[in-house]
Amino acid sequence: MPQPLPSKEQTLFRSVVKYYEGKQYKKGLKAADQILKKHPTHGDTQAMKALILNSQGHGEEAFTLCKAALKNDMKSHICWHVYGLLWRSVKNYEEAIKAYKFALRIEPGSLNILRDLALLQCQIRDYDGYIESRRKMMQERPQLRQNWTALAVAFHLAGNLTEAENILKTYEETLKQTPPKGDIEHSEAVLYKNTIIAESGDTERALKHLDEIIKSNLDRTSALELRAKYLLDLGRNEEAEQAYRNLLERNSEYRAYFDGLERALGLSRDNKADVEKLAELYQSYAKENSRNDATRRVPLDFLSGDAFKAAADSYLRWKLNKGVPSTFANIKSLYADAEKKAIIEELVLGYESEKKANGSAKEETNGDKSDRFEQSVLYFLAQHYNYVLSRDLKKANEYIDRLIKLDPKSVDYHQTKARIQKHTGDIQKAAETINHARELDERDRYINTKCAKYQLRANENEKALATMSKFTRNEAVGGPLGDLHDMQCMWYLIEDGEAYARQQKYGLALKRFTAIADIFDVWHEDQFDFHSFSLRKGQIRAYIDMIRWEDHLRNHPFFTRAAINAVKIYLKLADDPKLANPDQLDLSKLDPTERKKAEKKAKKERERKEKEEADRKAAAAAKATAKADDEDKKKEDTDPNGEKLLQTKEPLEAAQRFLKPMLEHSTQIVQAQNVGFEVYLRSQRYLLALKCLQAARELDLENPMAHEQSVRLRQALSKVSELPAEVSQVVKDTFTTPAADADLTAYNNEFIKKHSESARHLQAAYTARYALDNSTKSQNETDLIKTLDLSTITFEQAEQGLALLSEWKSEEKVQDEYRSKAASRWSEANVFIK
Amino acid sequence: MAEPQPSTVQEGATDPHAPTATTDDRIAAAALSTLDAQDDNGTGKKEVDGKALDKAMKNLNVKNAKAEEKKNVKVEPADVNLLVKELDLSKQKATDLLKTYDGSAVRAMTAFVTGKA
């Protein structure tokens, strides 16, 4: 039962609440303690005190106190509400919801609790619960438009479009008069209703509704775009044409409008007669504005033959004369078509000889830089021969060297030179070159970033951080690296992690990849405030977009890349737990006396490091107290080198944090399925392994990893003695390639024969052969070295092969042989130099 | 780059500068997102017709009483446990999956493995 307080204490309690709301925590604590002195078991006061403690950063204390409060007074809604707030502050939304529900049962009409509950339900996407909470809130306060919109949003998100529209309509009908034109909330709500009608599939009605509101709607662009889209979908092509022409007047660099116009005119890019009409159409637009790019660039996509040549010629001359550095990047998507690639190459080579013949620049427009055309032609060619579809690194190098001679101060030229060096495999030199480029313009963050990236590629982590520190806020906690974490600089964290992984510093690598996962958690939590804020602002369409984006947030390439890398490290740990303590690894090879020495040395080193660390911490602490800045207060990183991450007892369980979201959202990524299989095979969850295998095959029927894994799964299943009957039945039904009674060696040999020209497939097949029978090791090694003779093999693939050798624990001699053979083929590549 | 823009890109939306640019901006953003806690106690707008609202709400409530029919399939607890163990699902999800396949563990698991569930 609620415990009554004497009137004096009651006033005091009210002041505690007021102090808390006013964030006067010290005063609040004092008042709470005053009550507790007389009534030490008063639950509500204890709960309020816990809440204040939590706000001051004493989370654990707060939880204990709140639990005590609950014990004293189970029937108090305040205690339960506070308990919910505490759970919410540690982001445990399920527990928080439970607590709020208890509070609501005691105090059903409380708007505050109801609102907190609704926000949480939306956050965890419990739409049924959200609808209920929103409905109650709307009934409590129907005069607020927000509450109606919120209920409509709840229905919309739950997929009940009819009800969502109905709610919005009902509210509109209660309005005495139409709100003024400047009412943004109304304008947005009406447009939101329109998108709901369209989503329900009734385009006809959506268009009719849109025509009623379009005149007064404040978001012109969206309204016009929607109208054009509806008209097109309904096949009212003439009107759609006009609509798209209107849109193009507003913005003629937006390709989607041109696409819409093409469709409205019924012109197809595959039809020859249509192509001419299309060309005319674009020309008519090009005439209107001499500076418009899209009208001149888009036709290159669909023209062919002589028409293409003429158009490409004028486009290239225009851009190259102006010296536009992005000309090549703007053109290169055409290279997928071999004919266009040849034409462009011929044209630009023509420009080069034309220059030589004429001696001077004829086509010069403004004379501030007379060699502009010549340089941009050479720059184009350098990039052309560097591009993967037209690669000839020797030529690329010649062109870029000529350019650098012409203009030794150009950042762009040096950057491209570094890129060419990277492609030859000389990562070290590439990093040096780009550092030189950076020094040419020290105030440009872009080239600084690129420089740091190349340094990371060359495994120079410290140098890279020093480079980055020129642009970070270095007084932040943790220095430059701390700032990069704060600002969620994910490209850096990923590249840094990958560099550490290459150097086998797995602790640090895991640390970086975990930081990426943490950032994604933050992004996920960031939506929390907007469940209420967006309603207040009335920007509902943007809010719905955000919710849908958050729902598949972790299919972002950044997450996938970090996750695949992290899972691979966890797999290594699962296979070889000794990796967790890298110091001990080397020692086993030494003889006893030397080992003792080494151990002593390692111990000393450790002690020295610990002392340094302690000193640093003390210094940091002193600094922090001196500053006493509440805002920058941050927890000390207890595991700066990721050693704790590395020493996990259950690496496969730890990998789930990365694996699960990836398998759920990034279903189109083969590598995700590949690593998923490896995790599940090791944890003996054969059905899940099988699921990954099937998914990988569906994406890529001849996926080399899937082949190797299918052999290993069959092998593993044959060794398992007892599976539940249902499981073996499912395996029997689903796992058909290779057949259950197939001779795996023969099956594998067939695969080798079929893919005798592909290094990746052969590598996988040899791994499978090794897994089937480890006496084939030397045979595999010889065969693997032979793959280096394949004409199609790239040096990245050759690098993979080298990694395989170390996985098989091949002898140094074999690895050296592989290296020297690879080095003779890719003479510039650093990776094959020991 | 002249590659076509992804269709999801909304043109015309100006992006405001990052709210975390300076400390002041950050404080302002935090304040904005906590504002509504106090301010929706405000009274409703004048143009709203109270009577019409009451009527509208009553009409809405009639429709609420919609009982959802759920498939009533008996599910063996042993099967649920099997699915939880083999497929790493939560109990709730395992039960739902079994229910859609009429309580047949083999069919449920096959559907899951082949990516149809």
Side-chain angles (χ1 to χ4, degrees), chain A residues 145 171-190 216-218, chain B residues 45 47-48:
Chain A
R145 182 173 203 155
Y171 181 79
E172 271 179 48
E173 280 165 1
T174 64
L175 292 174
K176 277 184 198 150
Q177 70 241 13
T178 337
K181 228 180 160 185
D183 188 340
I184 294 187
E185 193 182 3
H186 181 71
S187 161
E188 277 293 317
V190 173
S216 58
N217 206 279
L218 293 166
Chain B
K45 286 178 195 161
E47 67 260 34
V48 181

Side-chain angles (χ1 to χ4, degrees), chain A residues 135 139 141-142 166 170-171 174 176 185 254-255 330 333 529 532 536 631 660 685 687 691 734, chain B residues 2-3 9 11 23 33 35-36 39 41 45 47-48 56-57 61 63-64 85 88 109 112-114:
Chain A
R135 193 201 299 283
Q139 278 159 349
R141 221 167 274 237
N166 187 28
T170 311
Y171 181 79
T174 64
K176 277 184 198 150
E185 193 182 3
Y254 190 25
R255 283 186 166 215
N330 201 355
S333 62
D529 290 340
S532 50
R536 230 170 63 75
E631 240 211 311
K660 272 204 169 157
R685 285 195 162 122
L687 286 184
K691 183 176 161 67
T734 347
Chain B
E3 266 91 68
V9 169
E11 288 266 322
T23 325
S33 57
L35 246 185
D36 60 324
D39 110 335
N41 307 326
K45 286 178 195 161
E47 67 260 34
V48 181
M57 279 195 4
N61 287 342
K63 283 185 195 159
N64 293 346
K85 185 170 164 270
D88 200 15
M109 288 197 288
F112 186 81
V113 168
T114 49

Side-chain angles (χ1 to χ4, degrees), chain A residues 514-725:
Chain A
T514 309
I516 300 286
D518 290 343
I519 289 175
F520 274 90
D521 287 350
V522 172
W523 283 13
H524 186 73
E525 279 148 22
D526 279 345
Q527 62 180 310
F528 194 90
D529 290 340
F530 290 87
H531 299 313
S532 50
F533 182 71
S534 295
L535 288 168
R536 230 170 63 75
K537 292 280 277 182
Q539 308 281 8
I540 310 301
R541 287 172 306 139
Y543 170 70
I544 300 280
D545 283 349
M546 179 199 72
I547 292 289
R548 290 180 173 165
W549 176 74
E550 290 278 5
D551 279 344
H552 56 85
L553 171 68
R554 288 184 180 80
N555 72 0
H556 193 287
F558 270 150
F559 185 82
T560 320
R561 196 168 144 197
I564 290 175
N565 275 306
V567 175
K568 279 184 180 163
I569 294 176
Y570 280 123
L571 285 169
K572 281 202 175 98
L573 280 176
D575 291 345
D576 183 4
K578 265 188 280 173
L579 276 181
N581 298 310
D583 300 351
Q584 290 163 15
L585 222 92
D586 303 312
L587 301 179
S588 54
K589 288 179 196 153
L590 304 169
D591 63 84
T593 46
E594 273 191 53
R595 190 191 302 182
K596 246 187 192 164
K597 259 191 211 162
E599 269 169 4
K600 228 180 190 175
K601 203 178 152 196
K603 199 180 157 202
K604 254 190 190 166
E605 181 74 4
R606 242 196 326 269
E607 275 168 3
R608 190 181 60 80
K609 267 196 187 154
E610 269 164 25
K611 192 168 174 286
E612 263 177 24
E613 184 68 8
D615 288 349
R616 202 186 55 75
K617 264 188 201 165
K623 214 177 168 186
T625 45
K627 243 183 165 183
D629 192 344
D630 281 33
E631 240 211 311
D632 276 350
K633 205 163 42 182
K634 255 217 229 133
K635 277 183 194 156
E636 169 78 27
D637 188 354
T638 50
D639 183 22
N641 291 321
E643 276 149 9
K644 277 190 198 134
L645 286 170
L646 200 57
Q647 281 155 2
T648 168
K649 288 278 177 305
E650 283 164 335
L652 296 177
E653 282 305 307
Q656 293 292 343
R657 180 180 181 198
F658 294 97
L659 187 59
K660 272 204 169 157
M662 198 159 54
L663 290 182
E664 194 177 330
H665 297 296
S666 310
T667 45
Q668 296 304 308
I669 313 270
V670 180
Q671 291 101 309
Q673 304 292 345
N674 287 158
V675 293
F677 174 91
E678 298 290 340
V679 170
Y680 288 128
L681 185 70
R682 280 168 182 74
S683 46
Q684 280 144 23
R685 285 195 162 122
Y686 298 112
L687 286 184
L688 287 168
L690 184 56
K691 183 176 161 67
C692 288
L693 178 63
Q694 302 290 48
R697 277 190 175 147
E698 210 134 285
L699 292 170
D700 174 10
L701 194 62
E702 295 294 331
N703 181 247
M705 283 298 280
H707 164 77
E708 177 205 324
Q709 291 174 341
S710 70
V711 171
R712 280 166 50 217
L713 181 62
R714 194 45 93 197
Q715 190 192 15
L717 283 171
S718 70
K719 280 180 192 157
V720 184
S721 49
E722 46 187 305
L723 276 177

Side-chain angles (χ1 to χ4, degrees), chain A residues 242-276:
Chain A
Q242 196 47 50
Y244 277 111
R245 284 190 189 273
N246 288 345
L247 280 167
L248 277 169
E249 244 162 65
R250 294 167 65 89
N251 176 5
S252 54
E253 291 286 10
Y254 190 25
R255 283 186 166 215
Y257 296 163
F258 281 112
D259 293 343
L261 183 57
E262 283 180 28
R263 279 178 53 207
L265 289 167
L267 297 173
S268 152
R269 292 182 170 192
D270 302 325
N271 186 334
K272 258 205 177 146
D274 284 359
V275 162
E276 268 172 45

Side-chain angles (χ1 to χ4, degrees), chain A residues 1 17 41 151 182 208 273 298 413 568 590 644 702:
Chain A
M1 286 306 289
V17 176
T41 57
L151 183 57
K208 212 174 137 225
V298 177
Y413 298 161
K568 279 184 180 163
L590 304 169
K644 277 190 198 134
E702 295 294 331

